[in-house]
Amino acid sequence: MQARFRTIAIAAVLVAAAVAGALYFMKRTPVHAPVAPPAALARLVPAKTPQIVPAVAFEGVDGRFHALSEWKGRYVLLNLWAVWCAPCVKELPALARLKAAVPKDGIEIVAVDVARGTAQEAQAFLNSRNAAALGAYIDPQLTLMRAFGAYGLPMTVLIDPKGREIARAMGPADWDSPDAIAWFKALGERKGA
C-alpha cells in the first residue's frame, strides 16, 4: 500500500512540475493586448511603442477642417492616397467595403487624398472607383505625410481609441478579405479595452 501511495505521490509531483514548467515557458501576453492582424494584413506592422498621433487638420468635402481627434474613443484606420498612385487607387474599393462592414461606433475608416485637387474632385474620383462610402478628405499641403513621416503611398495608420498610432502599413493591403473584416470587427468591439 505504501509503494502504491508513493507511486501516486511521485506521479502527482511530476505532473505538477510539468504544468508549472509549461506555464513558466509560455509566452506571456497581457489580457488587453490586441490580437495580431491576420496574414491578409501582413503589411500592417504593430508599433513597438504606441505614440500619440500628430494634431494636424485636413479638409473634408463639407469645406470644414477635420482632425483625427474627432474620432477619439474609436479606432481609426487612416489611409493616405493620391489619384496618381496606382496601388492606392486599387485598394480604395477594398477600404470602402471594409468601412461598410465594420460598426462605425467602433472603428472609422478615414481616407485622405494627398494630391493637389479639391475635395469635390476627390469625391468624384472616389465615386468613379466604387469607393464613395469613404467620403472625401484632402490634404493638398501634405501636412499628414510630413507629420507621419510618410515616404510613399499608400500609407495606412491604425490609431487606437486613445489617439495613439498602434500599427502602420506601407503599401496596399487586402483590407476587405474575410479575415481582415473579422479582425477589424473584433477590434472595434474591444474599443473600450
Side-chain angles (χ1 to χ4, degrees):
M1 184 86 163
Q2 286 183 346
R4 186 173 179 191
F5 178 73
R6 189 177 305 150
T7 304
I8 292 172
I10 291 171
V13 168
L14 290 174
V15 167
V19 169
L23 290 173
Y24 179 78
F25 289 106
M26 281 177 49
K27 181 179 178 184
R28 290 181 176 92
T29 305
V31 174
H32 296 294
V35 177
L41 299 176
R43 289 185 185 248
L44 190 62
V45 178
K48 290 181 178 152
T49 306
Q51 300 290 325
I52 296 293
V53 297
V56 294
F58 46 93
E59 188 179 341
V61 74
D62 56 6
R64 292 186 17 239
F65 280 89
H66 300 270
L68 293 169
S69 59
E70 288 179 31
W71 296 284
K72 200 165 186 177
R74 291 185 268 174
Y75 283 91
V76 174
L77 190 66
L78 171 68
N79 176 265
L80 303 182
W81 65 279
V83 296
W84 44 260
C85 167
C88 300
V89 172
K90 184 177 179 186
E91 79 174 353
L92 287 172
L95 285 163
R97 286 188 290 273
L98 175 63
K99 183 171 183 163
V102 297
K104 189 174 181 159
D105 65 337
I107 186 162
E108 183 67 35
I109 314 302
V110 179
V112 181
D113 180 9
V114 297
R116 303 257 184 223
T118 66
Q120 290 73 22
E121 290 169 333
Q123 187 65 62
F125 187 83
L126 291 170
N127 293 348
S128 72
R129 299 297 192 273
N130 296 319
L134 292 174
Y137 297 99
I138 62 166
D139 182 24
Q141 303 305 318
L142 308 178
T143 308
L144 286 168
M145 287 190 72
R146 283 192 301 277
F148 281 96
Y151 56 85
L153 294 174
M155 185 195 81
T156 308
V157 176
L158 180 59
I159 302 163
D160 75 5
K162 295 177 183 174
R164 302 174 304 175
E165 177 179 339
I166 58 170
R168 182 181 292 215
M170 293 305 301
D174 194 6
W175 301 111
D176 65 339
S177 73
D179 287 346
I181 289 173
W183 187 77
F184 279 110
K185 280 183 177 179
L187 193 67
E189 290 170 3
R190 305 176 36 139
K191 71 178 180 181

